[in-house]
Amino acid sequence: MTLATRIYWRIAGRFNQVRAGRARAAARVFEARAEKFLARFKGGRTYNFARRPKTPSGLTPYEYVCKICTSEPDRFILDPIHQMPGLNT
């Protein structure tokens, strides 16, 4: 093996060590962030993502709007001009 080849492999090995070290550091940072995120949900402060959001009357927002739309149709304007895209869309 020539001197140039030995130098090349030594440099390549050091480069791989540095790259592997950066990967390990990135993994540690990710694990720390994940632990910090999951810690918020431990200890009785858990949040159930499967629950439906409900209003005080016990309806979901969609159900509430449907109920009001049928009981008070004058609050909902069915003008086609309101459905057209304008400047703020």
Side-chain angles (χ1 to χ4, degrees):
M1 187 183 294
T2 65
L3 179 62
T5 307
R6 280 186 266 161
I7 292 173
Y8 168 77
W9 285 111
R10 183 177 295 165
I11 292 171
R14 287 183 184 157
F15 175 75
N16 286 335
Q17 287 175 352
V18 169
R19 191 177 66 195
R22 287 182 182 159
R24 284 191 300 271
R28 281 194 302 269
V29 168
F30 175 78
E31 290 171 2
R33 287 182 181 168
E35 280 295 321
K36 185 177 178 182
F37 175 76
L38 292 174
R40 286 189 267 168
F41 299 102
K42 292 180 183 176
R45 293 187 297 151
T46 57
Y47 183 81
N48 185 1
F49 288 103
R51 284 186 58 202
R52 300 185 317 167
K54 292 189 174 182
T55 60
S57 63
L59 301 173
T60 63
Y62 177 77
E63 291 169 343
Y64 176 76
V65 169
C66 289
K67 177 183 168 188
I68 296 298
C69 184
T70 55
S71 64
E72 303 175 34
D74 55 322
R75 289 177 61 180
F76 296 87
I77 301 171
L78 298 176
D79 188 5
I81 294 294
H82 293 163
Q83 304 298 326
M84 296 177 68
L87 296 174
N88 297 323
T89 57

